[in-house]
Amino acid sequence: MPEMSVADEAELFLKMIADPGCEPGLYECLACFVARRVEDVGCDDTRLWTQWFRDLKSPTATALETRLFDLGVTCDCRLVTRGYRMHRALLVRDLMTDELSAPDEMPDCAGVRRTSTKPCANWERRPLDDWQPPRHG
Ligand SMILES: [Zn+2]
Ligand SMILES: [Zn+2]
């Protein structure tokens, strides 16, 4: 990730303040928030939203970064493709392929403690050997 100048950071901050969707809800969890932001604005190969969430909710949770990095979460979209997965109970079965996939509409966050950086009940830890590169076609 390239170093950001103070001006860049200030601009980013203003952009974030201007967009109400970029504030995590009071009890919204990290995984729901980041999934929501990645869906809205995409992933730019940084952990911008993960860090933003951490800064706002739990500035002292500095171990979070390391913990996520160990899970292979090197950018925001990987938080919800590698780090965590949607809980099975929320997945929908594709009648054609019989595969389970995430619903089109993200379910509402089940809620966590205000300063928690853990995902809510909508998510579960993905087993480390479970990850496969996304298939094309
Ligand atoms: Zn990404
Ligand atoms: Zn949640």
Side-chain angles (χ1 to χ4, degrees), residues 29 32 109-110 120 123:
C29 76
C32 288
C109 181
C120 70
W123 303 88

Side-chain angles (χ1 to χ4, degrees), residues 28-33 108-112 119-123:
E28 187 174 25
C29 76
L30 174 69
C32 288
F33 172 70
D108 285 340
C109 181
V112 290
C120 70
N122 291 358
W123 303 88

Side-chain angles (χ1 to χ4, degrees), residues 43-45 75-78:
C43 174
D44 63 356
D45 289 329
C75 64
D76 285 332
C77 70
R78 289 195 169 162

